[in-house]
């Protein structure tokens, strides 16, 4: 076993070596522009892009013409929310979301509020679950879009997306889900989930950074999005810009691997995650796991170490890469909005660590982590409880 140990797979994942091998020829050999349709270099690049589009679509039960490439999930979210808000503003200016959404959704909603849109931020229960009943009650004649994340990036709770999507369909409201943490980890099928749009990205599923996608369903009627990136009219006019062919090829390869190996990977990572949580919470007092135990991502463990500071814990075991929250909000000094929303006090929010397991996590690494966490927590607590020395 080598140190350091990487347990921050929510933030990003290691690129699978098979993905790297698939990408390499598209840097130096097949380096054409996919939009160059007058010669073989362009034709080869376009063929590679369309093959990857098919691989990615297959992973989520979509068709290839429903996949729009972006620079990542944040751009996908912005395109979905702003594109729908602008396109359907004459119908209504009301959007529904949840308090525990990723910052890319929340900050986009805040921006839309400045332009006169009304946003409803639904609460969640103590496990982080959004109630479909609350969604239904919040829908008005002005509601044009509901956006609820499929799986939470901090506590791993999986939302009842299919149920929410079904009621949105009944009420004639478009439905978007941020599925970044779910795609490639658990089965995702856009048809059975009743979604109109789904955002996801490659680097959370062992693909490269800088490439993501928005699935825009071809259902009747197909959602109309106002373009947010003007230019050459790439991606059927929805996202202009030269396509990142090597990254797209890597995205496609990562999707194909995920489709083939998801079931085995799910069971193995779930077992390691359960072992980690059970041992840490079993050996330490006033320590608990957050999130819903039944509807939960296999690779996530959010654990609160009462009366300690997560930053002190991380500093005391620098050889283990974990986090105290979302990588996208690490620059923010405020306590996690997700943990606050499920009812944790500010003290407990600041005492919480997020462990993100992955495809390359080993049993030896988890056993080492358990030992180090337990001994470090005990030492820090002993230090806190020591009486002050009088000089």
């Amino acid at each position: 076993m080598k140190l350091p140990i990487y347990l921050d797979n929510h933030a990003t994942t290691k690129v699978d070596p098979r993905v790297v091998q698939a990408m390499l020829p598209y840097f130096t050999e097949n380096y054409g522009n996919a939009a160059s349709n007058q010669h073989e270099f362009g034709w080869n690049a376009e063929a590679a892009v369309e093959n990857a589009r098919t691989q990615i679509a297959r992973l989520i039960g979509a068709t290839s013409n429903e996949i729009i490439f972006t620079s990542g999930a944040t751009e996908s979210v912005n395109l979905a929310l702003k594109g729908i808000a602008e396109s359907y503003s004459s119908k209504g200016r009301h959007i529904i979301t949840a308090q525990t959404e990723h910052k890319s959704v929340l900050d986009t909603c805040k921006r839309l509020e400045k332009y006169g849109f009304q946003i409803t931020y639904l609460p969640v229960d103590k496990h982080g679950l959004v109630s479909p009943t609350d969604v239904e009650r919040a829908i008005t004649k002005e509601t044009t879009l509901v956006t609820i994340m499929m799986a939470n990036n901090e506590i791993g709770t999986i939302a009842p997306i299919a149920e929410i999507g079904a009621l949105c369909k009944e009420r004639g409201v478009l439905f978007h889900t941020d599925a970044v943490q779910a795609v490639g980890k658990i089965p995702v099928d856009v048809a059975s989930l009743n979604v109109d749009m789904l955002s996801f990205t490659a680097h959370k599923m062992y693909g490269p950074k800088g490439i993501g996608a928005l699935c825009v369903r071809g259902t009747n009627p197909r959602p109309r999005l106002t373009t947010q990136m003007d230019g050459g009219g790439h991606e059927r006019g929805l996202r202009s810009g030269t396509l990142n062919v090597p990254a797209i090829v890597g995205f496609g390869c990562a999707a194909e691997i995920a489709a083939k190996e998801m079931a085995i990977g799910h069971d193995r990572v779930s077992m390691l995650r359960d072992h980690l949580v059970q041992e840490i919470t079993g050996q330490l007092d006033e320590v608990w796991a957050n999130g819903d135990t039944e509807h939960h991502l296999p690779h996530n463990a959010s654990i609160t170490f009462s009366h300690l500071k997560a930053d002190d814990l991380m500093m005391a075991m620098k050889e283990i890469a974990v986090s105290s929250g979302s990588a996208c909000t690490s620059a923010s000094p405020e306590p996690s909005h997700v943990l606050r929303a499920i009812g944790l006090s500010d003290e407990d929010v600041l005492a919480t660590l997020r462990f993100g397991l992955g495809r390359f996590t080993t049993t030896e690494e988890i056993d080492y982590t358990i030992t180090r966490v337990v001994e470090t927590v005990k030492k820090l607590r002993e230090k806190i409880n020591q009486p002050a020395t009088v000089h």
Side-chain angles (χ1 to χ4, degrees):
M1 187 190 72
K2 294 182 180 180
L3 296 176
I5 294 169
Y6 187 75
L7 292 176
D8 198 18
N9 284 283
H10 300 81
T12 196
T13 56
K14 172 183 175 180
V15 180
D16 192 296
R18 292 168 289 182
V19 172
V20 175
Q21 288 302 310
M23 293 173 64
L24 287 176
Y26 293 89
F27 288 106
T28 57
E29 297 172 33
N30 304 321
Y31 50 82
N33 187 327
S36 298
N37 57 12
Q38 296 177 322
H39 52 68
E40 189 172 347
F41 290 90
W43 302 332
N44 289 341
E46 183 184 20
V49 166
E50 294 311 311
N51 180 61
R53 203 187 299 273
T54 299
Q55 291 171 312
I56 294 161
R58 192 179 297 127
L59 177 64
I60 61 170
T63 59
S64 61
N65 64 358
E66 294 175 328
I67 302 298
I68 305 299
F69 288 118
T70 66
S71 63
T74 293
E75 186 188 341
S76 295
V77 167
N78 274 260
L79 174 58
L81 272 59
K82 292 175 181 175
I84 291 298
E86 191 174 340
S87 183
Y88 290 81
S89 60
S90 60
K91 177 188 175 184
R93 300 173 71 85
H94 179 228
I95 295 171
I96 298 169
T97 189
Q99 295 174 359
T100 50
E101 293 292 308
H102 188 271
K103 281 292 186 179
S104 62
V105 169
L106 295 177
D107 286 355
T108 300
C109 286
K110 294 295 183 186
R111 177 60 62 98
L112 288 170
E113 283 183 307
K114 293 179 180 179
Y115 292 99
F117 289 87
Q118 179 191 356
I119 313 294
T120 297
Y121 299 92
L122 296 175
V124 296
D125 66 16
K126 64 181 181 179
H127 304 298
L129 281 169
V130 177
S131 167
T133 302
D134 286 348
V135 174
E136 189 169 22
R137 287 173 180 165
I139 293 175
T140 72
K141 292 180 180 179
E142 292 288 310
T143 307
T144 54
L145 178 68
V146 172
T147 176
I148 302 292
M149 74 191 322
M150 186 170 178
N152 190 269
N153 57 303
E154 290 193 38
I155 59 174
T157 297
I158 300 172
I161 294 299
E163 191 175 346
I164 294 171
L167 67 88
C168 286
K169 189 170 290 186
E170 289 173 9
R171 299 291 294 273
V173 175
L174 293 171
F175 183 40
H176 165 263
T177 187
D178 165 7
V180 167
Q181 295 291 343
V183 174
K185 313 290 177 54
I186 60 176
V188 173
D189 180 82
V190 290
S192 62
L193 290 174
N194 301 305
V195 299
D196 296 294
M197 293 165 291
L198 182 144
S199 298
F200 58 120
T201 193
H203 79 101
K204 307 288 189 178
M205 47 183 281
Y206 312 99
K209 298 174 183 65
I211 187 69
L214 175 66
C215 174
V216 182
R217 298 292 310 287
T219 48
N220 231 346
R222 185 186 181 104
R224 302 187 316 272
L225 282 78
T226 299
T227 301
Q228 302 299 306
M229 185 86 76
D230 295 313
H234 306 77
E235 295 301 278
R236 292 183 289 284
L238 284 177
R239 203 282 184 182
S240 292
T242 301
L243 292 175
N244 186 346
V245 178
I248 288 171
V249 168
F251 195 177
C253 181
E256 190 166 87
I257 292 170
K260 291 177 180 176
E261 300 179 4
M262 188 186 304
I264 296 172
H266 180 285
D267 292 345
R268 191 187 73 84
V269 173
S270 291
M271 182 182 66
L272 290 176
R273 189 274 315 276
D274 291 345
H275 178 54
L276 175 77
V277 172
Q278 289 165 7
E279 288 297 321
I280 290 176
T281 57
Q283 295 183 46
L284 295 167
D285 296 326
E286 296 186 274
V287 172
W288 65 86
N290 301 298
D292 189 271
T293 54
E294 184 180 353
H295 309 285
H296 200 277
L297 288 172
H299 62 291
N300 169 275
S302 170
I303 303 177
T304 301
F305 301 87
S306 194
H307 309 305
L308 290 180
K309 290 184 178 179
D311 288 346
D312 292 341
L313 259 172
M314 288 188 289
M315 288 298 292
M317 46 183 200
K318 292 180 181 178
E319 78 276 24
I320 302 172
V322 292
S323 68
S324 56
S326 170
C328 298
T329 58
S330 60
S332 172
E334 296 120 13
S336 162
H337 68 284
V338 173
L339 297 177
R340 272 180 159 174
I342 64 173
L344 267 64
S345 66
D346 283 356
E347 180 184 0
D348 285 337
V349 168
L350 295 173
T352 302
L353 286 181
R354 181 183 68 171
F355 298 79
L357 289 69
R359 179 179 294 167
F360 303 105
T361 304
T362 67
T363 303
E364 291 76 18
E365 289 175 333
I366 293 301
D367 286 338
Y368 179 91
T369 299
I370 292 166
T371 301
R372 285 289 286 125
V373 168
V374 170
E375 68 181 18
T376 303
V377 169
K378 288 180 178 179
K379 285 180 181 178
L380 289 174
R381 283 179 172 172
E382 285 174 6
K383 190 175 181 180
I384 292 172
N385 294 326
Q386 283 179 351
T389 304
V390 180
H391 294 284

